[in-house]
Amino acid sequence: MNKRESRLRRARKTRAKLAELKAVRLTVFRSNCHIYAQVISGCGSKVLASASTLEAELRARVPNGGDKAAAAEVGKLIAERAKAAGIETVAFDRAGFLYHGRVKTLAEAAREGGLKF
């Protein structure tokens, strides 16, 4: 089993539990160059809010999309957009990534922005 398959296995286990709970989830994906966050409905069919380092307004503020500063900006932005959509509580779905570095920074920034998880 390679690194990608291991991550996807961990993600599948988490998503199965969250689907069972019908919880609104904050999903994070990170690549080497960017980080993405989405708030997905409990049924899993609708994206309620999203933010990423690919957006023009974030690219102007953060030159490198693959560092902790960029992850913090995305976390603040996703919290702001989720609250605007009327969402206060989410389940954190780290998509099988380890909870450290950029993923942890994004989660902490989202909590500071007012999301509860």
Side-chain angles (χ1 to χ4, degrees), residues 6-93:
S6 296
R7 181 186 70 80
L8 292 175
R9 181 184 53 81
R10 288 191 301 268
R12 204 170 26 252
K13 286 169 57 177
T14 303
R15 288 188 183 137
K17 183 63 175 177
L18 294 179
E20 182 181 299
L21 297 174
K22 302 276 191 228
V24 175
R25 61 190 167 119
L26 170 60
T27 304
V28 175
F29 178 79
R30 67 173 176 80
S31 66
N32 288 339
C33 298
H34 296 286
I35 192 157
Y36 311 82
Q38 293 180 326
V39 176
I40 300 174
S41 66
C43 62
S45 63
K46 265 191 185 170
V47 175
L48 306 172
S50 66
S52 76
T53 53
L54 287 176
E55 297 174 13
E57 64 182 57
L58 270 178
R59 289 188 97 151
R61 282 187 283 175
V62 182
N64 182 7
D67 61 1
K68 286 185 181 182
E73 290 293 323
V74 171
K76 290 176 195 169
L77 189 59
I78 194 70
E80 177 185 310
R81 290 180 180 173
K83 290 188 72 95
I87 299 159
E88 301 246 346
T89 305
V90 295
F92 189 63
D93 178 5

Side-chain angles (χ1 to χ4, degrees), residues 95-114:
F97 295 108
L98 298 179
Y99 187 80
H100 73 96
R102 290 185 285 156
V103 174
K104 183 178 179 181
T105 304
L106 187 143
E108 290 171 350
R111 281 192 187 105
E112 288 172 11

